[in-house]
Amino acid sequence: MTPENRAAYWRANLRLVAICMSVWFVCSYGFGILLVEQLNEIRVAGFQLGFWFAQQGSIYIFVVLIFFYAWRMNKIDRQYDVDEE
Amino acid sequence: MELKLLTYLVVGASFALYIGIAIWSRAHTTGDFYIAGKGVSPIANGMATAADWMSAASFISMAGLIAFLGYDGSVYLMGWTGGYVLLALFLAPYLRKFGKFTVPEFIGERFYSRTARVVAVICLIVVSFTYVAGQMRGVGIVFSRFLEVDVTVGLIIGMGIVFTYAVLGGMKGVTYTQVAQYCVLIFAYTVPAIFIAIQITGNAIPQLAFGSEVTGAGISLLDKLDDIVTSLGFNQYTDGTKSRIDVFCITLALMMGTAGLPHVIVRFFTVPKVRDARISAGYALLFIAVLYTTAPAVGAMARYNLINTMQPGEVGSVDGNLAYSDRPEWFNTWEKTGLLKFEDKNGDGRVQYYNDASDEFQDSAQKFGWQGNELFVDRDIIVLANPEIAKLPNWVIALVAAGGIAAALSTAAGLLLVISAAISHDIVKGIFLPNISDRRELLAGRIAAAVAIVVAGYLGFDPPGWVAQVVAFAFGLAAASLFPAILLGIFFKRVNKEGAIAGMLTGLVFTYGYIEYFKGLFLKWAGSPWGENVTEQWLFGISPEGIGALGMLLNISVAMIVSYATAAPPQHVQELVEHIRIPRGG
């Protein structure tokens, strides 16, 4: 693997991590903590939305995020030919 | 069948299962003992991680905490799940590629320093023992209530079981026992939740029942709960009392702490490949989420049931409160443990349960002839008493007892194992006897595990506080010491030995000092806590539970500054970083 390839692989990884971490932050710290009062004005299925994000929604999103990351990362691995066959 | 006998049967059967698995999966090499020979499938590892992770604090204490904290309880829900995203994205795949046995070993090699390795061992031991003390208290509560044995005897039985499968099976035995323990604990947690959800709302899925209408009331559970708690002077359920910055910091400290807990990290050393480490973190969180999304529903329903029991009629009317002579059976049994107390302050023979600290409610209380809150409920009993409060059949109650024990034992075993690995692999082999044979190292590991169990048992007799809180401090310490060191080691090539050591020590000392100062942890004999634990005294309004977030920032800042002020790491270390960053070859 050339140093350029290596650097490009690492950049692709960091880009994916940055996207996932933004979602992670917005859903938990954003919706669940910083904007909780504003979102509580909105009601969905008997829940105040901010409260729902803090006690339910953020957890579902965390699970989806990890599976998404693993799936994308496997693709990037293959693309740069560093996957474990 | 009688409850006690049934509980003995269910708990006994679960113990027989764990020991059977331990005998079947004995460890033969140090590889088996430390990392289960790297042969665990990602799904099994996910399940084992979930059981390892979900401790007595998650199973016994969390829903109770949420029941009384309401919105503020969200810090535990988000904090103890969001950390898995950090683990999957920042640590697990790289540490798996590194491919050694322990967390201090990584820190020692990455920072080319025995001192760094020893500092990491110290962080690991402080964190793990703080955590294990909480587990032992959980075991004690379950044994004393359900098996009606002395707490001491309960602890000794618990220690004996862990001893058998941790010492015999090492990581391999612990992993497969944890898979079984996950099944026991998740079944025990969800079954009563489903029953209670049906009783209250008619909806069988707790996660949805949580927002559904209360049967016959025409109003949703959470709204109804907001109404009844405020009518008794309590804070609104869906609203919190903690400051925004404190909620933010506690959540952050719990997340970083989760990602820095050695007994969780080491689980990702046991899978065959790097890609397995990533997906395994996903499975772990999926299995954890089953309990973590049920818990807030359990908390809300338990609070609702508890208040309805104590206040069956209108607030303020004479017969609106439960008469003590009519108290249900569970009230009686929990009173015996001292975790539920009633004191008839106004001598009317009825239970008044309300918030006597609320100024606005003072006048109403006076008018009703109430002279203070008369009921003390320990938060730790909520989950355990829940099936009884909801009048569920005895086999459900027995199951909950077995589940609580499974949760505490699985976590205790995982913790004891990382402590023993740190001692036999990082200290004995890494420092004193580098040429020790595999067989003798395995023996050293087993002896270290045995000693650690005895120490943990001793801490269980006199734990420094209640379960979830003690555990919360372990997270703060892990967040401030181990997590930043590993993260920097992987993502910043320039961070060197001096930076990492200075950072870890700063983070650990600052965070530990702050907690000891306000809460008292291990230095109670020397007169701690020294400070008054109130918002006005806290640094930036951050509580001891959340201070790990600040400790983490301090750690990173100090590590960066010191690293840039000193020489870059040697070539072979920079190559090591390049090597762990890609899954194949390198």
Side-chain angles (χ1 to χ4, degrees):
Chain A
M1 199 180 192
T2 64
E4 293 77 44
N5 253 342
R6 202 183 268 276
Y9 170 75
W10 191 242
R11 268 199 310 277
N13 176 17
L14 291 183
R15 196 159 45 235
L16 178 60
V17 168
I19 295 169
C20 293
M21 288 316 287
S22 314
V23 177
W24 170 85
F25 184 85
V26 169
C27 293
S28 49
Y29 294 92
F31 296 160
I33 299 177
L34 301 175
L35 299 172
V36 67
E37 276 161 26
Q38 289 84 334
L39 284 177
N40 275 349
E41 300 295 318
I42 306 169
R43 284 186 166 262
V44 179
F47 289 101
Q48 301 174 21
L49 195 58
F51 182 84
W52 183 81
F53 263 106
Q55 300 214 334
Q56 296 275 303
S58 53
I59 302 176
Y60 299 130
I61 289 161
F62 294 153
V63 174
V64 173
L65 263 182
I66 299 181
F67 281 101
F68 172 76
Y69 169 78
W71 169 66
R72 290 294 304 180
M73 224 29 222
N74 288 343
K75 258 177 93 168
I76 294 175
D77 285 353
R78 277 195 298 276
Q79 199 182 326
Y80 286 87
D81 194 30
V82 290
D83 61 309
E84 308 146 291
E85 64 269 22
Chain B
M1 207 185 304
E2 199 208 339
L3 176 60
K4 199 167 135 189
L5 182 63
L6 200 59
T7 312
Y8 270 105
L9 280 178
V10 174
V11 173
S14 70
F15 282 0
L17 175 68
Y18 307 151
I19 292 183
I21 293 173
I23 293 171
W24 165 73
S25 57
R26 274 190 315 280
H28 297 291
T29 64
T30 48
D32 283 346
F33 191 80
Y34 295 136
I35 55 171
K38 293 187 194 170
V40 182
S41 87
I43 296 185
N45 187 51
M47 240 181 237
T49 311
D52 201 331
W53 169 245
M54 291 190 288
S55 57
S58 295
F59 190 95
I60 300 174
S61 295
M62 194 173 62
L65 269 173
I66 298 167
F68 290 96
L69 291 174
Y71 167 78
D72 284 344
S74 314
V75 297
Y76 300 108
L77 295 167
M78 289 189 284
W80 285 339
T81 53
Y84 276 83
V85 181
L86 302 177
L87 259 173
L89 271 55
F90 292 112
L91 310 185
Y94 309 108
L95 291 175
R96 174 60 195 83
K97 178 67 191 299
F98 176 66
K100 295 285 175 64
F101 289 158
T102 69
V103 172
E105 192 172 16
F106 171 76
I107 291 178
E109 287 205 17
R110 167 60 183 82
F111 300 112
Y112 47 99
S113 149
R114 265 192 201 173
T115 317
R117 191 169 178 177
V118 173
V119 172
V121 169
I122 294 169
C123 295
L124 180 147
I125 287 178
V126 172
V127 169
S128 302
F129 271 118
T130 313
Y131 206 128
V132 93
Q135 305 315 311
M136 286 302 174
R137 148 122 174 156
V139 174
I141 290 182
V142 175
F143 270 103
S144 65
R145 164 60 188 89
F146 290 100
L147 304 179
E148 289 173 37
V149 295
D150 193 53
V151 178
T152 315
V153 177
L155 269 175
I156 291 170
I157 298 172
M159 281 159 60
I161 300 289
V162 175
F163 182 87
T164 314
Y165 66 77
V167 173
L168 203 65
M171 188 53 130
K172 199 171 158 202
V174 167
T175 300
Y176 292 109
T177 340
Q178 281 169 338
V179 171
Q181 283 163 334
Y182 175 78
C183 299
V184 171
L185 80 88
I186 205 69
F187 189 62
Y189 202 84
T190 46
V191 166
I194 291 171
F195 271 117
I196 297 169
I198 295 174
Q199 279 180 358
I200 296 181
T201 65
N203 191 332
I205 301 166
Q207 285 81 348
L208 299 176
F210 191 26
S212 304
E213 274 182 18
V214 177
T215 313
I219 177 173
S220 86
L221 173 63
L222 287 168
D223 290 335
K224 176 94 181 156
L225 197 53
D226 274 345
D227 282 354
I228 56 176
V229 294
T230 45
S231 75
L232 290 167
F234 292 104
N235 193 56
Q236 225 182 17
Y237 192 80
T238 53
D239 200 7
T241 53
K242 284 186 177 28
S243 72
R244 200 55 54 86
I245 183 169
D246 202 23
V247 170
F248 195 97
C249 286
I250 296 176
T251 309
L252 196 61
L254 293 178
M255 283 195 192
M256 309 277 171
T258 302
L261 282 182
H263 72 288
V264 177
I265 296 175
V266 77
R267 296 238 46 105
F268 297 97
F269 291 31
T270 67
V271 293
K273 290 177 182 168
V274 172
R275 56 183 298 168
D276 297 331
R278 294 182 192 132
I279 199 80
S280 177
Y283 283 120
L285 187 56
L286 180 68
F287 293 128
I288 290 167
V290 176
L291 189 144
Y292 271 64
T293 53
T294 307
V298 170
M301 295 187 295
R303 182 79 179 273
Y304 177 80
N305 269 343
L306 179 73
I307 293 189
N308 269 353
T309 307
M310 303 306 157
Q311 185 76 52
E314 204 172 315
V315 176
S317 66
V318 180
D319 51 4
N321 297 83
L322 173 76
Y324 184 65
S325 53
D326 296 342
R327 67 191 184 283
E329 182 57 30
W330 62 265
F331 196 124
N332 217 351
T333 42
W334 282 101
E335 264 185 312
K336 281 187 213 144
T337 64
L339 298 172
L340 184 74
K341 284 191 204 103
F342 169 69
E343 186 195 343
D344 197 359
K345 290 180 182 160
N346 62 354
D348 67 348
R350 289 178 180 274
V351 182
Q352 275 97 43
Y353 174 57
Y354 70 104
N355 183 13
D356 55 8
S358 157
D359 291 333
E360 295 103 76
F361 197 68
Q362 236 25 291
D363 293 342
S364 318
Q366 217 147 30
K367 206 168 67 204
F368 302 151
W370 296 359
Q371 290 165 13
N373 175 40
E374 301 179 339
L375 188 74
F376 163 78
V377 191
D378 189 296
R379 298 164 188 212
D380 284 352
I381 73 173
I382 284 291
V383 167
L384 300 176
N386 214 11
E388 297 168 272
I389 298 176
K391 306 185 186 78
L392 297 183
N394 278 350
W395 65 268
V396 179
I397 301 169
L399 195 61
V400 169
I405 295 173
L409 291 184
S410 59
T411 307
L415 286 161
L416 293 167
L417 218 54
V418 294
I419 295 173
S420 84
I423 292 169
S424 61
H425 193 65
D426 293 309
I427 301 289
V428 174
K429 185 184 164 82
I431 310 259
F432 296 110
L433 301 165
N435 299 320
I436 191 171
S437 73
D438 195 68
R439 264 189 57 217
R440 292 192 57 201
E441 190 189 338
L442 187 59
L443 180 66
R446 288 188 160 133
I447 294 171
V451 173
I453 289 169
V454 174
V455 176
Y458 172 74
L459 287 173
F461 290 115
D462 182 24
W466 37 286
V467 183
Q469 215 172 40
V470 171
V471 168
F473 296 138
F475 285 88
L477 296 172
S481 58
L482 295 170
F483 175 74
I486 305 170
L487 182 77
L488 293 171
I490 297 165
F491 284 81
F492 294 89
K493 245 188 280 178
R494 184 62 177 78
V495 173
N496 60 15
K497 162 169 92 175
E498 292 81 2
I501 296 173
M504 276 194 288
L505 286 178
T506 312
L508 185 70
V509 169
F510 169 77
T511 309
Y512 173 74
Y514 194 86
I515 296 171
E516 188 75 63
Y517 183 79
F518 283 113
K519 299 291 295 188
L521 215 52
F522 296 116
L523 295 182
K524 287 212 171 115
W525 51 271
S528 78
W530 299 281
E532 198 192 343
N533 191 25
V534 290
T535 322
E536 295 76 47
Q537 300 282 326
W538 294 340
L539 195 61
F540 308 122
I542 302 171
S543 62
E545 287 84 356
I547 202 65
L550 209 58
M552 183 265 306
L553 290 179
L554 268 178
N555 180 332
I556 291 180
S557 317
V558 169
M560 285 294 196
I561 293 167
V562 173
S563 292
Y564 279 97
T566 45
Q571 193 56 35
H572 77 273
V573 170
Q574 305 210 17
E575 278 162 16
L576 170 72
V577 178
E578 291 290 352
H579 169 79
I580 61 174
R581 281 182 179 181
I582 54 171
R584 188 185 70 208

